Amino acid sequence: MFYDLASSSWGPEEIAAMRRVIESGRYTMGEHVERFEDAFRAKFGVKHALMVGSGSAANLVGVAALSYAGNRPLKRGDEVIVPAISWATTYYPLQQYGLRLRFVDIDLQTLNLDVSRLEQALTPRTRMVVAVSILGNPCALDVLRAFCDRHGLILLEDNCESMGASLNGKLAGTFGDVGTFSTFFSHHISTMEGGVLVTDNTEIAHVARSMRAHGWTRDLPADTKIFEKRDEDFFEAYRFILPGYNARPLEIAGAIGIEQLKKLDAMVEARRRNAALFQELFARDERFIIQREHGRSSWFCFTIILNPGLSIDRARVMAALNEADIGYRIITGGNFLRHDVIKYFDYDRAGEIKNADIAHDRGFFVGNHPQDLTPQIRRLREVLDKAAR
């Protein structure tokens, strides 16, 4: 494809890492996963980093850990403030743990949650806010952190689309009580499938570690406080204390992650160079609303919303992109309230949801890759300029 949505970021280092694991004969979670977690913890300046099988699993294990924490756990019926646009697995664990969602509209320029609506969304039942930095662009993480601190709320930060982004010098994914990352194929680093949960809370980290592997005790450190060890060693090795999952990553994913993490900064810089050209070509064209950078974006992709005040036929634009062999797709998951699965949720809206609908109906994104895309971005400009006349 001339301009695809994603491409591999692997080199010979990742292939060699895979071979080392294959030759070792140890494929399940082990030494390489642990080394990747150590490297991730150091890179992001957090106390605890836990690798899991996907970013979706990181969200699930994170919500589970918050629901089984000893100090004021989340309970069924508690309310959670969420943005109207995110990926489906931002929301699914909330539904699965019986939480009530309060949807808030987005800012059409940044595509992130409109923080001017936070006070309107707050009720006596509110216990948590989910911060999602959409497609590399940091949301108002400082505002959300202050809001949660002021009202005694949990901040869960879904940073699965925005590894390497930062706000005021602090890395996205590290503002929350729990932060989650994805290492899926198309993301900023790729371990095929994979995800990471980070936290500075030792109790949450230990609960999450148990939840990751069947809810058992054998992966927990000797000094953990979440259970009391007994003297019966035969049974202790297979002692289950929480209703957990198998969300463990493969050893091969950990080995790849070690190599990919070394390249993260350089790959983000390559994405930012592409973004500079994209902004130069599109920023002053009233036909197209492009994502306004907030903080320092890691530019997952390039979003375009056809100005709703102008009579631009999106079907014609899509046809032109198809003809030019340019890949495109909906912005993240679009307005989640528009999906059939919403019928299974306990939810309401904190005010009108308007901008998320505009992004859903008039928007799309094209890919960004960690290599020079100058010919692709210039061709995109030519195609859209003609199709949107």
Side-chain angles (χ1 to χ4, degrees):
M1 194 171 204
F2 174 70
Y3 188 178
D4 211 342
L5 285 169
S7 62
S8 175
S9 58
W10 291 5
E13 301 86 358
E14 288 78 9
I15 304 303
M18 292 168 62
R19 286 200 180 106
R20 286 195 295 273
V21 174
I22 293 168
E23 289 166 0
S24 75
R26 169 67 185 262
Y27 305 130
T28 191
M29 184 178 72
E31 172 193 355
H32 290 88
V33 168
E34 186 175 347
R35 285 175 52 204
F36 173 67
E37 291 172 339
D38 289 343
F40 203 94
R41 183 169 57 250
K43 177 70 176 175
F44 286 86
V46 293
K47 289 183 180 178
H48 306 280
L50 189 75
M51 190 180 193
V52 290
S54 67
S56 300
N59 285 335
L60 174 61
V61 171
V63 173
L66 292 166
S67 299
Y68 285 100
N71 182 27
R72 295 189 70 222
L74 291 173
K75 296 180 180 178
R76 301 185 77 84
D78 286 344
E79 287 187 350
V80 182
I81 296 171
V82 297
I85 287 182
S86 187
W87 188 243
T89 51
T90 299
Y91 309 109
Y92 288 167
L94 308 174
Q95 187 270 351
Q96 289 155 359
Y97 275 83
L99 303 170
R100 178 175 172 81
L101 278 63
R102 292 269 289 167
F103 284 92
V104 175
D105 203 7
I106 61 160
D107 179 312
L108 194 60
Q109 303 300 316
T110 66
L111 302 180
N112 289 318
L113 185 146
D114 181 354
V115 292
S116 71
R117 296 171 175 248
L118 282 173
E119 294 293 343
Q120 177 187 3
L122 185 69
T123 81
R125 294 172 60 187
T126 306
R127 283 293 319 283
M128 185 165 75
V129 176
V130 178
V132 184
S133 293
I134 293 293
L135 299 172
N137 199 30
C139 61
L141 293 163
D142 50 352
V143 175
L144 291 166
R145 180 71 270 176
F147 176 80
C148 288
D149 290 345
R150 190 162 62 249
H151 294 288
L153 307 176
I154 298 165
L155 181 61
L156 173 61
E157 190 180 351
D158 182 338
N159 197 53
C160 287
E161 297 178 348
S162 299
M163 189 185 294
S166 61
L167 181 67
N168 302 327
K170 183 175 173 64
L171 286 167
T174 68
F175 285 77
D177 299 288
V178 171
T180 61
F181 298 79
S182 171
T183 59
F184 177 64
F185 169 72
S186 61
H187 291 193
H188 292 85
I189 67 171
S190 171
T191 62
M192 298 184 286
E193 294 276 3
V196 182
L197 178 152
V198 302
T199 183
D200 288 333
N201 184 306
T202 298
E203 180 198 11
I204 294 296
H206 290 182
V207 173
R209 184 171 290 274
S210 176
M211 297 295 292
R212 173 178 70 174
H214 314 297
W216 63 13
T217 61
R218 63 187 296 178
D219 293 327
L220 293 172
D223 62 350
T224 186
K225 301 295 193 296
I226 70 168
F227 81 104
E228 292 185 9
K229 188 173 181 180
R230 299 168 184 162
D231 294 330
E232 303 173 20
D233 290 339
F234 180 74
F235 293 105
E236 281 295 300
Y238 293 94
R239 181 177 170 191
F240 302 98
I241 58 172
L242 292 166
Y245 308 95
N246 183 357
R248 294 176 298 191
L250 294 174
E251 183 73 341
I252 202 167
I256 297 166
I258 293 167
E259 301 304 325
Q260 282 275 286
L261 198 58
K262 297 173 186 176
K263 302 178 181 181
L264 173 61
D265 291 346
M267 291 195 292
V268 168
E269 288 307 313
R271 288 174 175 270
R272 289 184 58 79
R273 286 191 294 272
N274 291 332
L277 175 60
F278 176 79
Q279 291 173 307
E280 176 188 332
L281 295 177
F282 285 93
R284 288 172 293 279
D285 192 324
E286 67 171 359
R287 294 173 295 176
F288 310 116
I289 300 171
I290 66 170
Q291 193 176 31
R292 186 183 72 233
E293 185 175 21
H294 179 250
R296 190 175 189 275
S297 178
S298 54
W299 290 101
F300 183 104
C301 63
F302 305 126
T303 62
I304 295 170
I305 298 173
L306 303 175
N307 191 329
L310 302 175
S311 299
I312 301 172
D313 184 350
R314 188 167 79 158
R316 183 184 178 195
V317 169
M318 302 293 99
L321 292 172
N322 285 332
E323 185 177 352
D325 206 24
I326 296 173
Y328 60 90
R329 54 161 284 184
I330 191 171
I331 293 174
T332 303
N335 180 358
F336 189 70
L337 291 160
R338 301 272 294 276
H339 289 276
D340 303 45
V341 73
I342 197 66
K343 66 185 178 184
Y344 297 107
F345 282 71
D346 180 13
Y347 72 95
D348 64 1
R349 299 170 175 85
E352 184 181 17
I353 306 294
K354 179 181 178 182
N355 290 334
D357 275 336
I358 293 172
H360 191 103
D361 293 326
R362 306 284 294 168
F364 59 95
F365 79 64
V366 298
N368 189 13
H369 308 189
Q371 63 252 7
D372 181 33
L373 293 178
T374 297
Q376 289 84 354
I377 295 170
R378 291 195 180 279
R379 178 61 177 148
L380 173 70
R381 172 65 195 181
E382 293 170 0
V383 171
L384 291 182
D385 182 48
K386 182 177 179 181
R389 285 177 186 167

Coordinates of all heavy atoms in Angstrom, one line a residue, residues 98-144:
G98 N -19.1 -3.5 37.3 CA -20.4 -2.9 37.8 C -20.4 -1.4 38.1 O -21.2 -0.9 38.9
L99 N -19.5 -0.7 37.4 CA -19.4 0.8 37.6 C -20.3 1.5 36.7 O -20.6 1.0 35.6 CB -17.9 1.2 37.4 CG -16.9 0.5 38.3 CD1 -15.5 0.8 37.9 CD2 -17.2 0.9 39.8
R100 N -20.8 2.6 37.1 CA -21.7 3.5 36.3 C -20.9 4.6 35.6 O -20.1 5.3 36.2 CB -22.8 4.1 37.2 CG -23.7 5.0 36.4 CD -24.8 5.5 37.4 NE -25.6 6.5 36.7 CZ -26.6 6.3 35.9 NH1 -26.9 5.1 35.5 NH2 -27.4 7.3 35.4
L101 N -21.0 4.7 34.3 CA -20.2 5.6 33.5 C -20.9 6.9 33.3 O -22.1 6.9 33.0 CB -19.8 5.0 32.1 CG -18.6 4.0 32.1 CD1 -18.9 2.8 33.0 CD2 -18.3 3.6 30.7
R102 N -20.2 8.0 33.5 CA -20.7 9.4 33.2 C -19.8 9.9 32.0 O -18.7 10.2 32.1 CB -20.5 10.3 34.4 CG -21.3 9.9 35.6 CD -22.6 10.7 35.5 NE -22.5 12.1 35.8 CZ -23.4 13.0 35.6 NH1 -24.6 12.7 35.1 NH2 -23.2 14.3 35.9
F103 N -20.5 9.9 30.8 CA -19.8 10.3 29.6 C -19.7 11.8 29.5 O -20.7 12.5 29.7 CB -20.5 9.7 28.4 CG -20.2 8.3 28.2 CD1 -21.1 7.3 28.7 CD2 -19.1 7.8 27.4 CE1 -20.8 5.9 28.5 CE2 -18.8 6.5 27.3 CZ -19.7 5.5 27.8
V104 N -18.5 12.3 29.1 CA -18.3 13.8 28.9 C -17.8 14.0 27.5 O -17.0 13.2 27.0 CB -17.2 14.3 30.0 CG1 -16.9 15.7 29.7 CG2 -17.7 14.1 31.4
D105 N -18.3 15.0 26.9 CA -17.9 15.3 25.5 C -16.4 15.7 25.4 O -15.8 16.0 26.4 CB -18.8 16.5 25.0 CG -18.9 16.5 23.5 OD1 -18.4 15.6 22.8 OD2 -19.5 17.5 22.9
I106 N -16.0 15.7 24.2 CA -14.5 16.0 23.9 C -14.4 17.4 23.5 O -15.3 18.1 23.1 CB -14.0 15.1 22.9 CG1 -14.7 15.2 21.5 CG2 -14.0 13.6 23.4 CD1 -14.0 14.8 20.3
D107 N -13.2 17.9 23.5 CA -12.8 19.2 22.9 C -12.5 18.8 21.4 O -11.7 17.9 21.1 CB -11.5 19.7 23.6 CG -11.0 21.0 23.0 OD1 -10.8 21.0 21.7 OD2 -10.7 21.9 23.7
L108 N -13.2 19.5 20.5 CA -13.0 19.1 19.1 C -11.6 19.4 18.5 O -11.2 18.7 17.6 CB -14.1 19.9 18.3 CG -14.3 19.4 16.8 CD1 -14.8 18.0 16.8 CD2 -15.3 20.3 16.1
Q109 N -10.9 20.3 19.2 CA -9.6 20.6 18.7 C -8.5 19.6 19.1 O -7.7 19.2 18.3 CB -9.1 22.0 19.1 CG -10.1 23.1 18.7 CD -10.3 23.2 17.2 OE1 -9.3 23.1 16.4 NE2 -11.5 23.3 16.7
T110 N -8.6 19.2 20.4 CA -7.5 18.2 20.9 C -8.0 16.8 20.8 O -7.2 15.9 20.9 CB -7.2 18.5 22.4 OG1 -8.4 18.3 23.2 CG2 -6.7 20.0 22.5
L111 N -9.3 16.6 20.7 CA -10.0 15.3 20.8 C -10.0 14.6 22.1 O -10.5 13.5 22.3 CB -9.4 14.3 19.7 CG -9.4 14.8 18.3 CD1 -8.8 13.8 17.3 CD2 -10.9 15.1 17.8
N112 N -9.5 15.3 23.1 CA -9.5 14.8 24.5 C -10.7 15.3 25.3 O -11.4 16.3 24.9 CB -8.2 15.2 25.2 CG -7.0 14.5 24.6 OD1 -7.1 13.3 24.4 ND2 -5.9 15.2 24.4
L113 N -10.9 14.7 26.5 CA -12.0 15.1 27.3 C -12.1 16.6 27.6 O -11.0 17.2 27.9 CB -11.9 14.4 28.6 CG -13.1 14.5 29.7 CD1 -13.3 13.2 30.4 CD2 -12.8 15.6 30.7
D114 N -13.2 17.2 27.5 CA -13.4 18.7 27.7 C -13.5 18.9 29.2 O -14.5 18.7 29.9 CB -14.7 19.1 27.0 CG -15.0 20.6 27.2 OD1 -14.2 21.3 27.9 OD2 -16.0 21.1 26.6
V115 N -12.4 19.4 29.8 CA -12.2 19.5 31.2 C -13.1 20.6 31.8 O -13.3 20.7 33.0 CB -10.8 19.7 31.6 CG1 -10.0 18.4 31.4 CG2 -10.1 20.9 31.0
S116 N -13.6 21.5 30.9 CA -14.5 22.5 31.4 C -15.9 21.9 31.9 O -16.6 22.6 32.6 CB -14.8 23.6 30.3 OG -15.6 23.0 29.3
R117 N -16.1 20.7 31.6 CA -17.3 20.0 32.0 C -17.2 19.1 33.2 O -18.1 18.4 33.6 CB -17.9 19.2 30.8 CG -18.3 20.0 29.6 CD -18.6 19.1 28.4 NE -19.1 19.9 27.3 CZ -20.3 19.8 26.8 NH1 -21.2 19.0 27.4 NH2 -20.7 20.5 25.8
L118 N -16.0 19.1 33.8 CA -15.7 18.2 34.9 C -16.7 18.4 36.1 O -17.2 17.5 36.7 CB -14.3 18.3 35.4 CG -13.2 17.6 34.5 CD1 -11.8 17.9 35.0 CD2 -13.4 16.1 34.5
E119 N -16.8 19.7 36.5 CA -17.7 19.9 37.7 C -19.1 19.5 37.4 O -19.8 19.0 38.3 CB -17.6 21.4 38.1 CG -16.2 21.9 38.5 CD -15.8 21.3 39.9 OE1 -16.7 20.8 40.6 OE2 -14.6 21.3 40.2
Q120 N -19.6 19.7 36.2 CA -20.9 19.3 35.8 C -21.1 17.8 35.9 O -22.1 17.3 36.3 CB -21.2 19.8 34.4 CG -22.6 19.4 33.9 CD -22.7 19.7 32.4 OE1 -21.8 20.2 31.7 NE2 -23.9 19.4 31.8
A121 N -20.0 17.1 35.6 CA -20.1 15.6 35.6 C -20.0 15.0 37.0 O -20.4 13.9 37.3 CB -18.9 15.1 34.8
L122 N -19.5 15.8 38.0 CA -19.3 15.3 39.4 C -20.6 15.1 40.1 O -21.5 16.0 40.1 CB -18.4 16.3 40.1 CG -18.0 15.9 41.5 CD1 -17.0 14.7 41.5 CD2 -17.3 17.1 42.2
T123 N -20.8 14.0 40.8 CA -21.9 13.7 41.6 C -21.4 13.1 42.9 O -20.2 12.7 43.1 CB -22.9 12.7 41.0 OG1 -22.4 11.4 41.2 CG2 -23.1 13.0 39.5
P124 N -22.3 13.0 43.9 CA -21.8 12.4 45.2 C -21.4 10.9 45.1 O -20.6 10.4 45.9 CB -23.1 12.5 46.1 CG -23.9 13.6 45.5 CD -23.6 13.6 44.1
R125 N -21.7 10.3 43.9 CA -21.3 8.9 43.7 C -20.0 8.8 42.9 O -19.5 7.6 42.7 CB -22.4 8.1 43.0 CG -23.7 8.0 43.8 CD -24.9 7.4 42.9 NE -24.6 6.1 42.4 CZ -25.3 5.5 41.5 NH1 -26.4 6.1 41.0 NH2 -25.0 4.3 41.1
T126 N -19.5 9.9 42.5 CA -18.3 9.8 41.7 C -17.1 9.3 42.5 O -16.8 9.8 43.6 CB -17.9 11.2 41.1 OG1 -19.0 11.7 40.4 CG2 -16.7 11.1 40.1
R127 N -16.4 8.3 42.0 CA -15.2 7.7 42.6 C -13.9 7.8 41.8 O -12.8 7.7 42.3 CB -15.4 6.3 43.0 CG -16.3 6.0 44.2 CD -15.7 6.5 45.5 NE -14.3 6.2 45.7 CZ -13.8 5.0 46.0 NH1 -14.6 4.0 46.2 NH2 -12.5 4.8 46.1
M128 N -14.1 7.9 40.5 CA -12.9 7.8 39.6 C -13.1 8.6 38.4 O -14.2 8.8 37.9 CB -12.6 6.4 39.3 CG -11.3 6.1 38.5 SD -10.8 4.4 38.5 CE -12.0 3.7 37.4
V129 N -12.0 9.1 37.8 CA -11.9 9.7 36.5 C -11.0 8.9 35.6 O -9.9 8.5 36.1 CB -11.5 11.2 36.5 CG1 -11.3 11.8 35.1 CG2 -12.4 12.0 37.4
V130 N -11.4 8.6 34.4 CA -10.5 8.0 33.4 C -10.0 9.0 32.5 O -10.7 9.6 31.7 CB -11.2 6.8 32.7 CG1 -10.2 6.2 31.7 CG2 -11.7 5.8 33.6
A131 N -8.6 9.2 32.5 CA -8.0 10.2 31.6 C -7.4 9.4 30.4 O -6.7 8.4 30.6 CB -6.8 10.9 32.3
V132 N -7.8 9.8 29.2 CA -7.4 9.1 28.0 C -6.7 10.2 27.1 O -7.3 11.2 26.7 CB -8.5 8.5 27.2 CG1 -8.0 7.7 26.0 CG2 -9.3 7.5 28.1
S133 N -5.4 10.0 26.8 CA -4.7 10.9 25.9 C -4.9 10.3 24.5 O -4.3 9.2 24.2 CB -3.3 11.0 26.3 OG -3.1 11.7 27.5
I134 N -5.7 10.9 23.6 CA -6.1 10.4 22.4 C -5.0 10.5 21.3 O -4.5 11.6 21.0 CB -7.4 11.0 21.9 CG1 -8.6 10.7 22.8 CG2 -7.7 10.6 20.4 CD1 -9.0 9.2 22.8
L135 N -4.6 9.3 20.8 CA -3.7 9.2 19.6 C -2.4 10.1 19.7 O -2.0 10.8 18.8 CB -4.5 9.6 18.4 CG -5.7 8.7 18.1 CD1 -6.6 9.3 17.0 CD2 -5.3 7.3 17.7
G136 N -1.8 9.9 20.9 CA -0.5 10.6 21.1 C -0.6 11.9 21.8 O 0.5 12.4 22.2
N137 N -1.8 12.5 21.8 CA -1.9 13.9 22.3 C -2.3 13.9 23.8 O -3.4 13.5 24.2 CB -3.0 14.6 21.5 CG -2.9 16.1 21.6 OD1 -1.8 16.7 21.7 ND2 -4.0 16.8 21.4
P138 N -1.4 14.4 24.7 CA -1.7 14.4 26.1 C -3.0 15.2 26.4 O -3.2 16.3 25.9 CB -0.5 15.1 26.7 CG 0.6 15.0 25.8 CD -0.1 15.0 24.4
C139 N -3.9 14.6 27.2 CA -5.1 15.3 27.6 C -4.6 16.3 28.7 O -3.5 16.4 29.1 CB -6.2 14.4 28.0 SG -5.8 13.3 29.4
A140 N -5.6 17.0 29.3 CA -5.3 18.0 30.4 C -5.0 17.2 31.7 O -5.7 17.3 32.7 CB -6.4 18.9 30.5
L141 N -3.9 16.5 31.7 CA -3.6 15.6 32.8 C -3.3 16.3 34.1 O -3.7 15.9 35.2 CB -2.3 14.8 32.4 CG -2.5 13.8 31.3 CD1 -1.2 13.3 30.7 CD2 -3.4 12.6 31.8
D142 N -2.7 17.5 34.0 CA -2.5 18.3 35.2 C -3.8 18.8 35.8 O -4.0 18.7 37.0 CB -1.6 19.5 34.9 CG -2.1 20.3 33.7 OD1 -3.0 19.9 33.0 OD2 -1.5 21.4 33.4
V143 N -4.8 19.2 35.0 CA -6.1 19.6 35.4 C -6.9 18.4 36.0 O -7.5 18.5 37.1 CB -6.9 20.2 34.3 CG1 -8.3 20.6 34.7 CG2 -6.2 21.5 33.7
L144 N -6.8 17.3 35.4 CA -7.5 16.1 35.9 C -6.9 15.6 37.2 O -7.6 15.2 38.1 CB -7.4 15.0 34.8 CG -8.2 15.3 33.5 CD1 -7.8 14.3 32.4 CD2 -9.7 15.2 33.8

